[in-house]
Amino acid sequence: MRALSNNRRRFTLSAAAVIALPTALTALPGAALAVSIGEAAPDFELKDTHGKTVKLADFKGRHVVLEWTNPGCPFVQKHYSSQNMQSLQKEFVGRNVAWLSISSTARGATDYLEPGALQAKYQGWGAAPTALLMDDAGSVGKAYGAKTTPHMYVIDRAASSSMRAVSTTSAPPTRPT
């Protein structure tokens, strides 16, 4: 339990540093980014699990966290069962950061969940993102180079003019590099 608490603390500190020092961020070693740091963040439009259209441009002027997620992924399950993600979501959404959780799981995949079932799953986990988005075609995931879950990007306040990225796969980052 102590190790889990230390991991959460490091992840929280990392996330806080991301929000406080966006110009210092680079991708973690080995992360393949479809968007380079400093490039414009690709705009997108997706439906949330309630059928409402959500656009990245809707959040211009705010920091935005993009979290690719799949409830069938053991690493996603680890971070949600430990309450890591929910704690971060609540903390940063409370600081006016838009947290967009994105499911890019293809409709034909064995772990695909229909929007209502996906919403229920994350609601049961106590998730608190700004929106839970459906990217069944994977077009947004491809635009950002999101290949694993959880995979995260942080977009600075300008949203359309500058991109800062952090990526995590099986473990939370210990610090931005």
Side-chain angles (χ1 to χ4, degrees), residues 17-175:
V18 165
I19 300 304
L21 303 170
T23 59
L25 296 177
T26 59
L28 292 175
L33 302 177
V35 177
S36 296
I37 300 201
E39 283 185 5
D43 197 12
F44 61 82
E45 181 177 305
L46 294 171
K47 298 278 187 192
D48 70 10
T49 53
H50 303 290
K52 178 185 171 200
T53 299
V54 176
K55 301 176 188 176
L56 178 61
D58 295 341
F59 303 100
K60 189 167 183 166
R62 295 169 65 183
H63 283 98
V64 178
V65 173
L66 302 179
E67 171 208 357
W68 271 267
T69 189
N70 175 348
C73 170
F75 299 114
V76 168
Q77 292 170 2
K78 172 187 173 242
H79 290 297
Y80 277 91
S81 67
S82 68
Q83 299 293 306
N84 283 345
M85 283 297 185
Q86 300 92 317
S87 295
L88 290 168
Q89 290 165 345
K90 290 172 186 168
E91 178 180 350
F92 289 106
V93 168
R95 293 181 185 186
N96 199 35
V97 172
W99 190 295
L100 305 178
S101 297
I102 303 171
S103 171
S104 289
T105 306
R107 269 192 188 271
T110 57
D111 53 355
Y112 176 82
L113 294 177
E114 292 291 335
L118 186 68
Q119 179 65 36
K121 176 67 126 178
Y122 281 85
Q123 196 168 15
W125 280 347
T130 305
L132 180 53
L133 306 176
M134 303 300 292
D135 182 27
D136 301 354
S139 59
V140 176
K142 288 174 188 163
Y144 281 85
K147 297 180 183 199
T148 58
T149 57
H151 193 129
M152 301 175 79
Y153 283 92
V154 176
I155 300 172
D156 74 1
R157 293 175 191 260
S160 63
S161 65
S162 185
M163 165 95 181
R164 310 288 187 249
V166 164
S167 173
T168 180
T169 54
S170 62
T174 56
R175 63 178 172 75

